[in-house]
Amino acid sequence: MQEYLGISTEGNFTGGCMQDIHWTDGSFGYFPSYTLGAMYAAQFMASMRKTVDVDACIRTQNLVPIWVWLENNIWSKGSTLSTEELVIQATGESLNPEYFKRHLIERYLND
């Protein structure tokens, strides 16, 4: 890293290029699965917000309504459904990138 990038993490391994375990074994193709997970999470959250006041749950530290939604719509399904079937049952539609796009805009571009 010193030779190619001119930087060293000696004594500070958390700031180096090997901070993610997947990099050390060459699993660079693994990273898109993080984005897929984030896309599903954004869509699940949008669907959950239709029936659960998520912000109030977090503010009051009462996460039970969130857990109930997750149990009813995600966790209880286990491996009985394909990912596509699970998303459709939980949200009413296939994976839709618009939810993730909206999340990114609201989180990073809106004041």
Side-chain angles (χ1 to χ4, degrees):
M1 195 165 73
Q2 178 68 40
E3 181 182 339
Y4 289 114
L5 302 175
I7 58 175
S8 172
T9 59
E10 188 171 337
N12 178 16
F13 301 108
T14 61
C17 69
M18 296 300 184
Q19 59 186 317
D20 189 300
I21 189 63
H22 301 101
W23 294 17
T24 60
D25 67 6
S27 297
F28 298 107
Y30 184 82
F31 290 100
S33 66
Y34 290 140
T35 303
L36 283 172
M39 289 174 66
Y40 286 117
Q43 188 163 334
F44 291 150
M45 179 65 85
S47 186
M48 183 189 308
R49 286 183 181 279
K50 293 176 184 175
T51 58
V52 176
D53 187 345
V54 174
D55 297 324
C57 290
I58 294 170
R59 193 170 39 256
T60 62
Q61 299 179 8
N62 176 16
L63 303 181
V64 172
I66 294 171
W67 295 335
V68 168
W69 190 93
L70 289 168
E71 174 63 29
N72 291 338
N73 293 283
I74 309 294
W75 298 338
S76 64
K77 308 305 179 192
S79 295
T80 63
L81 302 172
S82 68
T83 303
E84 176 79 2
E85 292 167 330
L86 177 72
V87 174
I88 292 171
Q89 277 193 16
T91 69
E93 62 183 308
S94 297
L95 183 61
N96 182 341
E98 288 302 314
Y99 294 101
F100 187 52
K101 179 180 174 183
R102 186 178 318 141
H103 164 73
L104 293 174
I105 290 169
E106 289 173 5
R107 182 168 183 174
Y108 298 108
L109 299 178
N110 290 343
D111 291 332

